Amino acid sequence: MVAEFDDDASRVNHEPEHEQQRRTAQKAMVQKALEGAAAETVQRFGSAVKEHLVAYSGTDHEAASVGGKPVPHNSLKVNAEMAGRQGVKQLAGFSAEVESTARRNADRIINGESERFKRYDAVKGKANDPIVDIVEVDAFGEILGGSQSQMKFVGSDSRALLKALKSKEYAKYRDCGVIMDIPDDYYDVLMGDGPDGIDTQIHSMQRKLDSGKLTKESSERVQQEIDKLHTIKKSLRKSGLTKREAEQAVMHPKLTAAKDVTKLAHRAGMAQAKTGALIGGGTSLVRNLVGCVNGTIEPQEAAKRVGADTATAAAFSYATAFSGTAIKGAMQNASNGYVRSLSKTNVAATLVSTTVDVSKAIAGYCRGELTAAQCIEQMGQQGLGQLGAVMGTAVATSAVSAAGVTGAAAIAAGMLGSMLGYTAAIAVYEELATALREYELAKEERIRVEQECAEAVELIRRYRSDFNTAVDTYLADKTKTFNAAFDAMDAAILANDINGYLTANASIQEALGYRPRFRTQQEFDDMMGSGEDFVL
C-alpha cells in the first residue's frame, strides 16, 4: 500500500476553490520536501541493497568485476539434491562467506564507513585459500592487518563445532591467529553462561586443577585444554547469520536475497518515517497555529489536522524510502551504464512519488471524483511529464492531423492543443495576477491589466471546457476497463492475491499503450532470474 498525501476530502469539498488551490500548493511543497529529505536515505540504503544483488548474481557491474560464484551457481542446487541433506551442509560454508560479506558491507555502507569485507579468493584472484576466507580492505582496496578470518559453519550444533575447533585438524587456524567466523546462534551458546559455554567449561577444568587431585601429566593436559579454549574464545566472531540461514541461502538463494532487500528497504522506510513526521508535523503545526491566531480554525480542529498531517507525512516518507531503496539498489548494479549513472541522482525517490501522483489522479478521474482539468492540475509538473509518457502513442500521432486525418489521431491532436492552450492561458493569468499584487499601477494601467486578466480568465474557461471534452472523448472507451481493473486490484489486496493484483495492473498498462513485462508472480520471478537486462 502506498500512502497518499491528501487532505480531508470532505473538508476540501466544502472549501472555496482558492482555498483548495492553496492547500494543493501546500501539499505539493511538503511532498517535495519529503521527497528531497528521502534522497540521502535512499542513496545509503540503496547502495546497501546493491551488495545483496551482487551476492546473488556474483557480478558487480558497478566495479566491473566478478565477486565469485553466484549463490548458488547453476549446478549448486542439483548437487545439493543429489548429495541429500549432507550436501546442503557442506555448501552452507560457501553460502555463509558470500551472505556474511554482503550483510556486513551493507551495514558499513549504511553507517557511512569506508572499510569493506571481501572474500579473500576475490581479492587475490585465487581459489580456496587454506587459511583465510574473508578479509577487510580500506577505501583503497588494501587489506587491513589482522582482519583475516576463516568461516566455519560445521557441526550440527555448537558443541560439535567447538569439538572441531579444538581438533588437531584445526590447529593451523589457532596457530595462525585468524578470526573464526561462526553461526550467530552457535556464538551465543559458546559465549553464554550455559553448560555448553566456553567459560563454563574453563571454570570446570580450572576447579579440577585447583583441587590438587590430578597427576602431573593430567594437570598438563587439562592446562593445555584450558589454554586452547582461551585461544578459541578470543578468535570467535559472529558471522552475521545463523546456521539455518546459511543452509536456506543454498536451497533458496532468490528468497534469501529478496528477504535481505526487504529488510533493508523496511529499515530505510522506518528511518525516513521519523524524518517525514518531523517535517510534515512541524509544517502543519506552524500552519495551524497561524490559523488559530487568525481565528480561521478552532484549536480542536487544528490539533486533529496536525496529527493527521504528521501521520500521513510519515507514511508517505516510509513508502518513498522503502520503494526508492529497492529501485536504487537495482539501478546501481544494472548492466547498463546509463541506468547506473541515474542511480546516483534522486531519480528513484522521484519515480516513486511521481507514480503515486499519476496513479492517484487517473484513479480519481476514472471514478468520477475529478474532472479532466482537475486531474491534470493535481499531477503537477512531474505528473504532466509522466502523463505525456503514458499517452505517448496518442501524442505521437497528433502530427498527422494537419493532413486531415480523423479519428483517434485527430482526438489526440485536439487533446494536445487544448492542453497547450490551457497551460499558456494559466501562465498569462499568473503573470498578470502577480503584477496586480506586487506593483502600484496607475489607474489606466491597472484598468488595462484588469481587462487582460478578464480575457485570460475567459481563455482559461474556454480551454478548460475544450480540454475536458477532449479527455472525456479520448478516455470514454477506457473508463470501463480502468474501473474494472481498479475494482479487481482492490479485491486482490483484500484477498492477498498477488497474481490477481498484477493481472489487473497489466490490463491498465495495455489500455494505455504499454506492453506489460509480467502478469503473474511466476513471470516476475522468471524475468528476474533470467540473464536479460532489467529495463525500468
Side-chain angles (χ1 to χ4, degrees), residues 365 387 390-395 397 407-413 415 467-479 482 511-513:
Y365 171 80
L387 182 65
V390 171
M391 298 182 176
T393 302
V395 173
T397 62
I411 293 173
M415 181 188 299
F467 185 60
N468 278 333
T469 302
V471 174
D472 286 340
T473 302
Y474 179 74
L475 295 179
D477 62 330
K478 296 180 174 59
T479 301
F482 288 153
L512 294 174

Side-chain angles (χ1 to χ4, degrees), residues 310-453:
T310 300
T312 305
F316 178 85
S317 296
Y318 177 92
T320 301
F322 183 99
S323 302
T325 292
I327 294 171
K328 198 271 183 184
M331 293 175 68
Q332 190 171 343
N333 199 46
S335 58
N336 185 283
Y338 176 68
V339 174
R340 292 198 302 273
S341 67
L342 285 179
S343 72
K344 299 176 182 179
T345 69
N346 195 30
V347 68
T350 302
L351 178 63
V352 174
S353 61
T354 298
T355 303
V356 171
D357 286 339
V358 173
S359 61
K360 183 173 60 181
I362 291 178
Y365 171 80
C366 291
R367 289 168 178 166
E369 299 168 0
L370 300 173
T371 66
Q374 289 172 335
C375 174
I376 299 301
E377 288 170 356
Q378 283 198 9
M379 288 183 179
Q381 186 62 41
Q382 289 184 349
L384 285 173
Q386 278 291 329
L387 182 65
V390 171
M391 298 182 176
T393 302
V395 173
T397 62
S398 64
V400 302
S401 62
V405 178
T406 59
I411 293 173
M415 181 188 299
L416 180 61
S418 59
M419 181 188 297
L420 293 175
Y422 181 70
T423 304
I426 286 289
V428 172
Y429 179 79
E430 288 180 347
E431 286 295 323
L432 295 173
T434 300
L436 281 173
R437 289 193 302 266
E438 298 182 356
Y439 297 99
E440 298 267 346
L441 298 176
K443 182 178 181 179
E444 295 79 10
E445 183 68 9
R446 184 179 184 86
I447 292 174
R448 183 185 66 79
V449 171
E450 287 177 343
Q451 289 176 342
E452 293 182 10
C453 279

